[in-house]
Amino acid sequence: MTRLTKLIAPLFLMLALMLSLPALAQEQPQPQPPDYEAWTRQADKTEDALESGQASDGDLQDLREKMVHWRDTFQAAQGTNSTRIATLKDQIAALGPAPAEGQTEAEDVAARRKELGTQLSELQAPGLKAVESYGRADGIIQQIDQKVRQRQTHALIRRTPTPLNPANWGPALTEAGDVGVHVYKEVRDNWNDFGSGPDMVGRIIVTLGFLLAAVLLLSRGRHWVDSLPSRLSVRASERSRAALIFAVSLGQIAIPFLGIVLGVAALSATDLFGAWGRPLLLSIPVAGMAFFGGFWLVRRVFPEPGTSDSPPLPIDEKQRRMAAFRATVLAFAMALHQMFSRTVLPLAGFHSQNDAFTVPERLSEASAGVWHFFMILLGAFFLFQLCNVLRKLKPGEHEAPDYRTRIVVLLGIIGRVVAVASPVLAAAGYVTAGNAILWSSIMSLALVALLIVLQDFIADLYAMATGGDQSARDALMPVLISFALVVLSLPMFALIWGARSSDLAEAWTKIKQGVSLGGVRLSPTAIVTFALIFLLGYFMTRFVQGAFRNSILPKTRLDVGGQNAVVSILGYVGMALAAVLAITAAGINLSSLAIVAGALSVGIGFGMQQVVSNFVSGIILLVERPIAVGDWIEVGAKQGVVKKMSVRATQIQTFDRNNVIVPNSDLITQQVTNWTRGSLQGRIIVPVGVAYGSDTRKVARILMEIAEDQPTVLINPAPAILFRGFGQDSMNFEIRAVLSDINGGAGVTSEINHQIVRRFADEGIEIPNAQRDVWLRNPEVLAQLASHLDAQTRSATGKVLGPAQPEPAPVNAPIPRDDAPEYDNDGDLDGDGDGDGDGRA
């Protein structure tokens, strides 16, 4: 009882919450109407800024945020007076359809219709105004996004001085040195303030303490974490080893990164770094995360021998070492790019025109192009070398190439093209474009590697949770979670390739609004609501079915077949109700599906009539129950025991233990023999033949004794022995007996035959075989024909085959007509017995 209560309580709780949602929605206070005057001023100001083209990207972003706020306000205001509007529409509908042109209706009805229409127009006015304002706000947001994308595109394709020009090399060194000088002077000037004051010693001790902790974490912490997985894997079980090693390996990122954060925090707290040094100082954690995160990925994707039971990629030892080294250098190049780009160097890639946290005076575009070109060459060279290894990946001899290997090989091919194209673009002066495609490609490759590592980790966790071996990693659940990871990573790929967070937010807003299909608007909220309500209805249906099957129906007088029919009907009704409730809760108007349903009905009438016929036949079978599970039936040329009845087909297990799926329409339209429906009793007939001359009364008595000795043969009606007639070879008898269980009819028949053979042998009664008597007419003619053949053989061989024989008649001598054999065959002209006269047997 406790278990049942625990099962029912959550279901009723969820149902109560569902029923209370409309009431809660109605109890919420109506939002305040928007200030349309303030909105008009803000919209005019934003449109003027867009037309002038003087607003910076930051100003446009601020204006966009305000427009998004107004749009959300107007979206909420569109439902103003929705409850009262729905009531008025029902009142107007209750008056009946409006009179057609040239027709009239009663004056009181017309007056009431006019009054309700006026009220409806007044109530709809605020919502229509909100809809109009929402459209204007949405249009302004789209214009801002278009303007920002145009600027971003212009920044990518804008050509700057080529870094190959030697005239730019000297200024590049000079300007970089000037930045270093400014940082040095800033630290030197602030040192005087740091080294004075009463708390100087305390600040120095605290700073040194943090720096010492940072040095220890950076120098010794990583080595300790590197040795920890191998020590823990010895104690861990085989199922949990892979997941444990992965979890511990995250310390290879966390501990060094913590050391960097402590060091940067200690240096930043000293106030030694100002406008010149602070941007560089705060870029170090980002660079450290890029390097240590990349290094961790390298060790997970290209593991050391013996550290992984199943490497993520099919790669041999030599290729693994080459790929690991080149990927590590790529991580270092990415760290350099993250540290100096945007803070010191312009033209860093996507959104570089919006850089804000920079040194007071960054390098010129010509000098920045030189330094960018060196970093691009470093990254492109090792990206090319790494992709050379990746594009040659091949599965083992007995392994089929999976999607992972194919994707990595494809990325290797694309990466080689990027590694060649990015330096060429930078050399031609398109430094921003070269940076954008190179570093975005490297980050995309790193994100793909991260997805591979996470998918393997999830598979290991699933294998550990289910207690399975390595084969459990390929189960359905890990595959579904891996697919979900790929879907969730799509926004990350979009951000890597230049999308802004506002672009993603706008895309999500459009998705939430949904799409309209045939008058039905589908949105993620509606889909999730439909799925949740339908699943709830599904589980409740299963619960009710289980209660009826196990608790209620066994206490009734229904047989097993009737119980199964009731449970099946409850399942169909529950599923239908769950679908209707889910559609209604999702806000899908069923009336809008009428056209779709009409089109589907035409398709059903032509293309799915057989399916519908089987469905209707299944319902008839469940209601009328001419057959039930466990019945022995015969339909067409198939017979067997009914194992399962569904709404489309019935499963029959033949006596050869074969499963036959019979469409339900065949069970309705064809003749069906049910051997066990209503009663297991059935009659068997055993034919027996005895030789001519046997005592028929004695045979009947023996057969009756044999039949009555069978335990399943009923006394009422008693078995019968029938003398059926005279056959060609025997006198024919039959044993006809009714069994209490016809399912054992074959066994009873076999036992009766055994006893008949034994009793007839004891009593001297012969069971005849089929026999034929052959009579030869005119044997002397056959002898004459044999002598002719013998003479012909001797004349052909020239040998004497036996004692001298009398001189035979000539071979071709005619046989006297009176001595020719006679045949009963009419029309047998050649005497061969086949009646065709062609001389061939």
Side-chain angles (χ1 to χ4, degrees), residues 363-543:
L363 272 63
S364 63
E365 292 184 347
S367 300
V370 174
W371 292 106
H372 277 307
F373 186 69
F374 288 143
M375 288 189 288
I376 288 175
L377 283 179
L378 177 65
F381 176 77
F382 285 98
L383 176 63
F384 188 88
Q385 296 296 323
L386 176 62
C387 291
N388 266 340
V389 177
L390 297 180
R391 72 183 183 91
K392 297 177 182 178
L393 293 181
K394 294 181 180 179
E397 296 181 359
H398 304 289
E399 297 179 4
D402 59 352
Y403 77 98
R404 176 182 298 180
T405 304
R406 289 194 292 263
I407 290 177
V408 172
V409 170
L410 177 62
L411 291 177
I413 297 173
I414 297 175
R416 282 162 49 92
V417 177
V418 171
V420 173
S422 54
V424 172
L425 288 174
Y430 299 100
V431 178
T432 304
N435 275 315
I437 65 169
L438 176 64
W439 305 114
S440 297
S441 298
I442 294 175
M443 286 189 289
S444 298
L445 199 61
L447 184 54
V448 171
L450 179 61
L451 289 175
I452 292 174
V453 171
L454 291 178
Q455 288 174 354
D456 287 346
F457 174 62
I458 290 171
D460 292 332
L461 277 182
Y462 181 81
M464 181 179 66
T466 57
D469 53 8
Q470 288 295 321
S471 60
R473 302 173 80 251
D474 298 327
L476 177 62
M477 186 58 65
V479 173
L480 293 178
I481 297 177
S482 300
F483 178 75
L485 280 178
V486 174
V487 174
L488 293 177
S489 67
L490 294 179
M492 298 298 299
F493 282 106
L495 291 174
I496 288 174
W497 287 95
R500 297 169 295 132
S501 57
S502 58
D503 294 332
L504 298 181
E506 187 67 18
W508 177 243
T509 300
K510 298 299 182 182
I511 292 174
K512 287 195 299 183
Q513 292 177 355
V515 295
S516 180
L517 298 175
V520 178
R521 179 164 293 277
L522 297 179
S523 63
T525 304
I527 294 174
V528 171
T529 303
F530 175 85
L532 291 177
I533 301 301
F534 184 79
L535 287 176
L536 177 61
Y538 172 82
F539 287 120
M540 291 186 67
T541 301
R542 292 302 184 195
F543 172 75

